[in-house]
Amino acid sequence: MPDRTVPEVPLDRTSPVPLYFQVATRLQQLIEDGELPVGSRLENEVELAERLGVSRPTMRRAIAYLVERGMLVRRRGIGTQIVHPKVRRPVELTSLYDDLAKDGQSPRTEVLLLEVRRAPDHVAEALGVPGGLDITWIERLRFSGGEPLAIMHNAVPLDLLPLTEADLAERGLYELLRAAGHVPRMASQTVGAKAASATEARQLGDSRGAPMLTMVRTAWDEAGRAVEYGSHVYRASRYSFELTLTS
Amino acid sequence: MPDRTVPEVPLDRTSPVPLYFQVATRLQQLIEDGELPVGSRLENEVELAERLGVSRPTMRRAIAYLVERGMLVRRRGIGTQIVHPKVRRPVELTSLYDDLAKDGQSPRTEVLLLEVRRAPDHVAEALGVPGGLDITWIERLRFSGGEPLAIMHNAVPLDLLPLTEADLAERGLYELLRAAGHVPRMASQTVGAKAASATEARQLGDSRGAPMLTMVRTAWDEAGRAVEYGSHVYRASRYSFELTLTS
DNA sequence: TGACCACCTTTGTTAGAACAAAGTGTTGAC
DNA sequence: GTCAACACTTTGTTCTAACAAAGGTGGTCA
């Protein structure tokens, strides 16, 4: 496949958006739109930098950004190739509410319990706090399309934000956390399966022993502060996790 | 928390290992060992570069590497802080065999079926090939600690490598792929749950209807070529997925 | 013909330098 | 005493420059 000449990229040097990002964004768009087709090779970075009017480090940074996202592949002596037309993010750190809302499923939430209490040992440990931490403890039932989908148990450190039943009924926990300035940035999850207990079956309108997907998660914000512990149970017949992962 | 003086870092300028990586690795070690405790702040990058005897770009690259991995956090005007003592990789792209072997569980594999055939439609689609693709189709039973753990169905494009029953009994599929130069770099997974079918129950020595964790995956190599399709069923009582994810 | 070497292309690494932008803290005016 | 302006600290962006290393190609010589 022959080299592909990248069209002119409009640059705004007065903009607060960094040059490397302007270039990267434009390249990404060209690839997504198919103007730079999968399999084709880019010009070499020196020429490209010259033609677009940026320095080589800036050009390299833009390319590195797309390599990181899995759209481009580079090899010394060979060049830069387009290998995928869509961004391949590692994994999106989203909540169930976000996922459903994005799909236009209009989720509904029923708050079963909301109380302030001392964190149980296993929760305190998951949050990385020695003990004696005050948390808001929440139990919610999530519906989608009018059908129950999941039971969600969450703990949020009390000093992060005040949580009310009304807020939670209308918005997802992650949305509330973000609005309060505690953006989840990293999370550690364990995904497993189990048979529904009698209680779970009753709450979810499923039969006892029905297969359930379980997820236990701890999330941290940018500054490394634990913002959420969650232990959820999903009806396997109605939910599964999709992940894209990179080495 | 006061600034922390980073101890001297030994640099080998004749080594093929890049300087920024030597610095990053040493820093990572210091953090993991607790010599640079969580919450403490690093010296500013200019001073640090000077003291360690590298240029500022090199120092920045080393730090950026650790920021990317979630160990450090930087803020303009503030400095660089240690927020986590362990590397937080997005998600490791490993196979079940790798995971078990790493835990010292000495996995055993029984090859139930190995044949060359035309890819079924849903497999061809998952691999991103229009159709008419010849694949090696494999069905394996994976044991751990003498107990059956999972049933694994895989498809590997025939032209990638020849697979024999003997190879698969001794080594994991990913290990074989890597050895053949087809290193899996990206994968797309769907994780769900289901109740064991009669066949699955019999093969896994579990009861019919027992909860099972399911995983369907397509993996690509560095060049964007599909190298594997897999559809696996794990006994939920004996296995779960652990993931770390970043936004 | 075939193997090996030299050369070309392309990305990777490192350095030095200057200015911009974001936070923090301090000083001074009112 | 309060608040705004300013200075200082620290990271972020951008540029120029040079050399190293890896992959491919073509030519020479046996």
Side-chain angles (χ1 to χ4, degrees):
Chain A
M1 192 99 44
D3 280 21
R4 216 55 176 206
T5 36
V6 175
E8 199 59 31
V9 173
L11 296 178
D12 180 0
R13 281 170 188 278
T14 67
S15 156
V17 178
L19 279 180
Y20 76 86
F21 195 77
Q22 293 183 37
V23 174
T25 306
R26 178 73 181 122
L27 274 182
Q28 178 176 336
Q29 193 186 21
L30 290 168
I31 294 167
E32 280 175 354
D33 292 354
E35 297 200 42
L36 300 171
V38 169
S40 68
R41 231 182 55 188
L42 247 51
E43 300 159 74
N44 73 68
E45 66 185 27
V46 179
E47 196 182 329
L48 205 47
E50 221 167 85
R51 211 158 56 67
L52 300 189
V54 298
S55 71
R56 196 182 156 206
T58 300
M59 193 65 229
R60 279 183 67 76
R61 191 156 175 195
I63 293 175
Y65 177 81
L66 296 180
V67 168
E68 190 67 32
R69 306 191 133 208
M71 300 179 94
L72 299 178
V73 164
R74 320 194 78 189
R75 267 189 305 159
R76 225 195 286 226
I78 309 284
T80 306
Q81 253 196 336
I82 293 142
V83 294
H84 205 270
K86 283 188 307 184
V87 176
R88 289 251 191 68
R89 310 176 174 288
V91 186
E92 303 228 24
L93 180 45
T94 57
S95 67
L96 176 56
Y97 190 92
D98 295 339
D99 292 345
L100 296 173
K102 201 169 58 185
D103 290 354
Q105 307 245 11
S106 59
R108 186 168 70 79
T109 309
E110 193 176 302
V111 179
L112 303 176
L113 178 66
L114 188 150
E115 60 177 24
V116 172
R117 64 152 86 152
R118 186 126 311 192
D121 285 350
H122 72 282
V123 174
E125 193 188 354
L127 292 173
V129 189
L133 175 72
D134 284 325
I135 54 156
T136 309
W137 181 254
I138 314 158
E139 294 186 19
R140 291 172 297 168
L141 194 54
R142 174 67 44 86
F143 294 78
S144 169
E147 283 253 333
L149 178 63
I151 304 167
M152 312 190 293
H153 294 192
N154 285 94
V156 179
L158 187 59
D159 54 339
L160 284 190
L161 80 164
L163 287 166
T164 71
E165 210 163 304
D167 283 342
L168 284 166
E170 271 191 31
R171 303 163 74 190
L173 177 57
Y174 270 41
E175 200 183 332
L176 292 169
L177 281 169
R178 276 194 207 98
H182 300 288
V183 184
R185 271 293 149 75
M186 262 182 293
S188 170
Q189 294 189 173
T190 302
V191 177
K194 59 173 280 196
S197 71
T199 310
E200 288 158 355
R202 180 165 33 78
Q203 288 178 316
L204 289 171
D206 219 326
S207 56
R208 184 146 181 270
M212 295 282 152
L213 197 56
T214 64
M215 194 261 274
V216 178
R217 162 158 79 183
T218 305
W220 294 269
D221 68 6
E222 192 178 47
R225 215 152 84 112
V227 293
E228 179 235 2
Y229 166 86
S231 175
H232 306 335
V233 178
Y234 306 84
R235 289 172 72 183
S237 56
R238 306 202 56 221
Y239 195 71
S240 57
F241 291 103
E242 289 190 21
L243 322 163
T244 300
L245 39 97
T246 60
S247 77
Chain B
M1 191 104 40
D3 281 19
R4 215 54 176 203
T5 35
V6 175
E8 199 60 31
V9 173
L11 297 177
D12 180 359
R13 280 170 189 276
T14 66
S15 156
V17 178
L19 278 179
Y20 76 86
F21 195 78
Q22 294 183 37
V23 174
T25 307
R26 179 73 181 122
L27 273 182
Q28 178 177 334
Q29 194 186 22
L30 289 168
I31 294 167
E32 279 175 356
D33 293 354
E35 298 199 41
L36 300 172
V38 169
S40 68
R41 232 182 54 187
L42 247 52
E43 299 159 75
N44 74 66
E45 66 185 29
V46 179
E47 195 183 327
L48 205 48
E50 218 167 84
R51 211 159 54 70
L52 300 188
V54 298
S55 70
R56 192 179 160 210
T58 301
M59 193 64 230
R60 277 184 68 76
R61 189 156 177 195
I63 292 175
Y65 178 81
L66 297 180
V67 169
E68 190 68 32
R69 308 192 132 208
M71 301 178 93
L72 299 178
V73 163
R74 321 194 76 188
R75 267 191 304 160
R76 225 196 286 228
I78 310 283
T80 306
Q81 250 196 338
I82 293 142
V83 294
H84 205 271
K86 282 188 308 184
V87 177
R88 290 252 192 67
R89 311 176 172 288
V91 186
E92 303 229 22
L93 179 46
T94 56
S95 66
L96 177 57
Y97 191 93
D98 295 338
D99 292 343
L100 296 172
K102 200 169 57 185
D103 290 353
Q105 306 246 12
S106 58
R108 185 167 70 79
T109 308
E110 193 176 302
V111 179
L112 303 175
L113 176 66
L114 188 151
E115 61 177 22
V116 173
R117 65 152 86 151
R118 186 127 310 191
D121 283 351
H122 72 281
V123 174
E125 192 188 354
L127 291 172
V129 189
L133 175 73
D134 286 324
I135 55 156
T136 309
W137 182 256
I138 314 156
E139 295 187 18
R140 291 172 297 167
L141 193 55
R142 174 68 42 86
F143 294 79
S144 168
E147 283 252 335
L149 177 63
I151 304 168
M152 311 191 294
H153 294 192
N154 285 94
V156 179
L158 189 58
D159 55 338
L160 283 190
L161 79 164
L163 288 167
T164 71
E165 209 163 306
D167 283 342
L168 284 166
E170 271 191 29
R171 306 163 74 191
L173 177 57
Y174 270 41
E175 198 183 332
L176 292 169
L177 280 170
R178 275 193 207 98
H182 301 288
V183 185
R185 271 293 149 73
M186 264 181 290
S188 170
Q189 292 189 175
T190 302
V191 177
K194 59 173 278 193
S197 71
T199 310
E200 288 158 356
R202 180 165 33 78
Q203 288 177 318
L204 290 171
D206 220 325
S207 57
R208 185 147 178 268
M212 295 281 152
L213 197 56
T214 64
M215 195 261 278
V216 178
R217 163 158 77 182
T218 305
W220 294 269
D221 68 6
E222 190 178 48
R225 216 151 83 112
V227 295
E228 178 235 2
Y229 166 86
S231 174
H232 307 334
V233 178
Y234 306 85
R235 289 172 72 182
S237 55
R238 306 203 56 222
Y239 194 70
S240 57
F241 291 102
E242 289 190 19
L243 322 163
T244 299
L245 39 97
T246 60
S247 73

